[in-house]
Amino acid sequence: NTSATPEVLVAIGSLTTSLGSADITELEWITTAADKSAGFSLSVRARFNEAVDVVTTGGTPYLAVTNGNQGGGSGRGPHNLPYVSGTGTNELVFTLAIAANNAATNADDVLVIGANAMNLNSGTIKDAGTATNATITQSAAIGTAAGSITVVA
């Protein structure tokens, strides 16, 4: 239509990282079972709404897992799972190895990811390719949605 009003189309590169900082959208257990007598690794995946870069030169970010101490005794936990992989993606993995018969857990302890579990620990998590710090907050519902793991003997 030669009499129509002209339209201009514009493409803006990296718009998702320009509009706001990254947010945690989900926390999920990678670990499916925990056996005190055999030892186990606690692993959690943190998903962001966009890719993030992790810098550990000042310190290593970690994710805290609360131990409800339902088993005999008290004073165990939280377990701080250090960052191990995922920089440059929207999925970061945090893992902590717990040796067999370690005092860190007892049979029947219930492990959960709590609210605001992520701690930068003097490290940084930034939007990928930028100097903008990611938002490191999450609602209690995100950690609770991951469920729990009960330690067996």
Side-chain angles (χ1 to χ4, degrees), residues 5-25:
T5 304
E7 294 181 14
V8 176
L9 298 176
V10 177
I12 301 172
S14 301
L15 186 59
T16 57
T17 57
S18 300
L19 291 177
S21 61
D23 292 309
I24 297 171
T25 59

Side-chain angles (χ1 to χ4, degrees), residues 35-147:
D35 184 338
K36 179 178 175 66
S37 62
F40 55 95
S41 288
L42 288 176
S43 292
V44 173
R45 181 178 296 112
R47 283 197 178 90
F48 287 79
N49 62 338
E50 62 183 89
V52 294
D53 290 330
V54 179
V55 179
T56 59
T57 51
T60 301
Y62 65 83
L63 197 103
V65 170
T66 303
N67 184 338
N69 292 306
Q70 287 83 353
S74 64
R76 297 177 301 282
H79 303 291
N80 295 327
L81 286 56
Y83 161 78
V84 294
S85 67
T87 193
T89 73
N90 72 321
E91 295 183 352
L92 304 182
V93 176
F94 298 80
T95 300
L96 176 69
I98 297 180
N101 298 312
N102 191 295
T105 60
N106 282 338
D108 299 324
D109 282 353
V110 177
L111 309 177
V112 297
I113 304 166
N116 298 313
M118 192 171 294
N119 187 311
L120 292 177
N121 191 34
S122 299
T124 59
I125 298 177
K126 298 179 179 291
D127 291 355
T130 73
T132 305
N133 285 325
T135 303
I136 308 301
T137 57
Q138 71 267 355
S139 70
I142 291 175
T144 303

Side-chain angles (χ1 to χ4, degrees), residues 1-6:
N1 183 351
T2 58
S3 62
T5 304

